[in-house]
Amino acid sequence: MGTYWQDERNRGRSDGALGSASSSRRSERDRDPAGAAALAPVIRALSAEPTDRELDGMGPALAAFRARVRQQATGSRRHRVFATLLGAKVGATLAGVAAGLVGVSTVVLVSTHVPGGAQPPGGPAAPAQARPAAVSTTATPHGPDANGPAKHGLCTAWRARSQNPGAQGHADQSVAFTNLVKAAGGANKVAAFCADVLAPGAAGNQGGGKGSGKPTGKGSGKPTKQPGHQAKDDDKATGKPGDVPNGQRTDTPTDEPTDEPTSTPTTEPTDEPTTTSTAEPTDEPTTTAIPTAPTGTPVPQTSGTVEPSQTVVP
Amino acid sequence: MIGAEFETVLAGARNGDEDAFARLWRDLNPPLLRYLSLGGDTADEVAAETWLTVVRGLNTFTGDELGWRAWVFTTARRRAVDAARRRGREARLRWHASSWVATVHDCADDVIDTLSTQEAVALVRRLPPLQAEVVLLRVVAGLPVSEVADVLGRTPGAVRVAAHRGLHALADLVDPAGVTPAEAAALRE
């Protein structure tokens, strides 16, 4: 450390432009060697190696450091979660539209193929009422009967939604799902209610497991958007009711399973594909039931316009 | 001083590396305590507060190691002033004036070579406050004059003068008999 002060003296000399510097410089020159010698032990002691006591007590500082790191981590994680939520919301919107279409079409298809005698309310006898019902969309909505032929489609749609947590809010509030929940006796019983319908599907239990837990939580969060989505579903459902059933029906039914999975995943943006792509294929087994009744081609045309009006009622 | 690795260590601490932070702490806590013991018994407490402030501001700091040291010691000085304010006028007097001398025993009889760090700091505390601070910041913290001037809010010239006088006074304290000019001249030859 003696060199340190040596440097200091030199520096003082080199820029010693201060007015009082000259006198002190002389005394410095007179005294410093002895002063430096006397000071050496003090300097050495002041700059001695750290003692244990001085290195003790990092605890509070380290704790504060950890807390700060944790804070930063959660902050950035919050950022990330927000971003993924945003993505999930967009994905859920698209998936909701897709699931709505699929659900509606399956409702249409399935309900038309249930044996006529087994249908209490809106069976083949319904076509006569179809037009009035479609026109009076503003009338009080009653929706499809979940105990009737619509059960299969509703359950399928419900499961599709339940695998899309973001769409729960819409699912809970639509008339169709309200009917389903009512028929099941509660949102958490829908899975059990639908068990027999969905059982044939390989992923039936999957839908049941998820459906039971989630619906209750998110319902209140997004009510404002719901009408919009419903309207969107309405438009698409009522817009081309003739197209969808006809096209699928008259074209080769065997193509459907292969077509749909490839088309729907492309609509999914980023986050969802793993869940929805597994969801969509599970829908398909229900449409493979179609070949059993392709003979009834005339029926779907009429009832095809009926069912959307029923399920779609806002 | 950490030296060439300082940038890496600081960056590590910023990214949450505890080892890097521990290294910064180990590097500066001893000089911090020595400097802060100018204020008396509160050194540990004020050093801890200083580190809390440093941790909070870790991301706002920019600069090299000298700048880092100057920043930490500036923080320490502020915390010391705060602590002195909290403890009231008496404590402030102790920080500013030399009433702390009472706690210092006379080192003249000690064997100077075995001077402990604490005793050396006690000696420095007998200097006028500005000189004491300047000496400790220069010797203990290893700060250049310009950084000391920043920390203390003084001009570099004032710091230089204070360092000069402080060292002279310290030499007198260590060796009250002093070295006569004649002896000094003799020693030089």
Side-chain angles (χ1 to χ4, degrees):
Chain A
M1 264 306 158
T3 56
Y4 179 87
W5 294 101
Q6 198 76 31
D7 289 343
E8 167 60 16
R9 260 204 322 281
N10 290 340
R11 195 181 310 175
R13 212 164 272 160
S14 63
D15 52 17
L18 291 171
S20 64
S22 61
S23 63
S24 68
R25 204 184 299 160
R26 189 178 309 146
S27 71
E28 180 185 12
R29 215 174 284 138
D30 289 342
R31 250 214 87 143
D32 257 14
L39 277 179
V42 182
I43 305 299
R44 210 183 304 132
L46 284 178
S47 53
E49 287 297 301
T51 64
D52 288 345
R53 199 194 72 81
E54 287 170 332
L55 291 176
D56 195 28
M58 199 196 301
L62 205 56
F65 180 76
R66 282 190 190 126
R68 174 184 150 279
V69 168
R70 222 175 301 127
Q71 206 174 18
Q72 282 182 335
T74 56
S76 58
R77 197 183 311 141
R78 212 173 293 145
H79 226 75
R80 247 179 287 131
V81 165
F82 181 72
T84 51
L85 271 182
L86 208 65
K89 202 163 187 179
V90 174
T93 306
L94 290 174
V97 172
L101 285 174
V102 170
V104 166
S105 59
T106 48
V107 166
V108 170
L109 293 176
V110 169
S111 62
T112 54
H113 295 302
V114 174
Q119 302 179 359
Q129 307 161 354
R131 297 293 166 180
V135 170
S136 65
T137 47
T138 54
T140 55
H142 52 84
D145 184 2
N147 285 314
K151 179 180 176 183
H152 191 291
L154 282 173
C155 285
T156 307
W158 175 275
R159 191 187 51 192
R161 299 258 179 156
S162 69
Q163 286 166 350
N164 256 324
Q168 291 284 324
H170 317 307
D172 279 352
Q173 303 217 352
S174 76
V175 176
F177 281 120
T178 308
N179 284 359
L180 178 63
V181 168
K182 215 180 290 173
N188 49 1
K189 293 178 184 164
V190 170
F193 179 72
C194 290
D196 57 331
V197 175
L198 299 173
N205 51 355
Q206 179 187 355
K210 288 196 175 184
S212 62
K214 296 188 177 180
T216 53
K218 295 195 175 181
S220 60
K222 316 166 180 174
T224 54
K225 285 210 166 186
Q226 190 237 340
H229 289 299
Q230 281 251 322
K232 229 179 276 176
D233 287 4
D234 290 353
D235 292 344
K236 290 186 182 171
T238 56
K240 25 184 175 177
D243 294 343
V244 180
N246 281 341
Q248 287 180 343
R249 191 61 48 84
T250 53
D251 290 346
T252 54
T254 53
D255 282 346
E256 286 182 7
T258 56
D259 282 347
E260 301 241 342
T262 55
S263 64
T264 44
T266 53
T267 60
E268 312 302 337
T270 51
D271 295 330
E272 299 304 319
T274 55
T275 57
T276 49
S277 61
T278 57
E280 301 300 337
T282 59
D283 288 339
E284 297 315 318
T286 65
T287 56
T288 53
I290 292 161
T292 60
T295 54
T297 36
V299 182
Q301 276 195 336
T302 51
S303 68
T305 56
V306 175
E307 295 301 334
S309 71
Q310 284 187 330
T311 59
V312 141
V313 189
Chain B
M1 296 286 271
I2 291 174
E5 296 174 48
F6 176 78
E7 302 276 329
T8 320
V9 174
L10 181 66
R14 276 203 182 135
N15 289 331
D17 181 358
E18 284 186 18
D19 290 340
F21 176 75
R23 194 158 170 204
L24 292 174
W25 189 92
R26 286 172 177 281
D27 176 58
L28 268 193
N29 196 57
L32 264 185
L33 283 179
R34 291 173 196 184
Y35 168 66
L36 289 171
S37 49
L38 274 182
D41 310 333
T42 56
D44 288 294
E45 186 187 320
V46 177
E49 289 174 14
T50 302
W51 281 112
L52 295 189
T53 311
V54 165
V55 164
R56 273 198 298 274
L58 202 54
N59 280 358
T60 65
F61 169 78
T62 54
D64 58 3
E65 185 167 14
L66 275 185
W68 162 257
R69 289 196 153 216
W71 181 63
V72 172
F73 274 89
T74 305
T75 306
R77 192 165 193 273
R78 289 195 187 126
R79 293 290 80 80
V81 170
D82 289 349
R85 242 177 236 150
R86 273 205 306 273
R87 292 181 54 162
R89 182 171 172 73
E90 184 199 358
R92 202 179 330 174
L93 278 179
R94 214 181 305 161
W95 175 265
H96 283 299
S98 307
S99 56
W100 52 44
V101 173
T103 64
V104 180
H105 71 279
D106 194 348
C107 306
D109 300 331
D110 292 351
V111 181
I112 274 309
D113 282 338
T114 62
L115 198 66
S116 75
T117 302
Q118 265 180 308
E119 288 163 343
V121 172
L123 271 178
V124 174
R125 284 172 66 182
R126 296 171 70 171
L127 300 176
L130 178 62
Q131 291 177 20
E133 278 198 81
V134 167
V135 166
L136 285 186
L137 288 173
R138 293 285 281 114
V139 180
V140 172
L143 292 176
V145 168
S146 55
E147 264 69 20
V148 175
D150 286 345
V151 171
L152 296 177
R154 306 276 182 147
T155 65
V159 168
R160 241 174 242 122
V161 169
H164 181 82
R165 291 183 182 160
L167 288 174
H168 269 266
L170 201 55
D172 280 340
L173 283 175
V174 173
D175 188 4
V179 183
T180 64
E183 282 170 330
L187 280 173
R188 206 185 310 169
E189 256 104 44

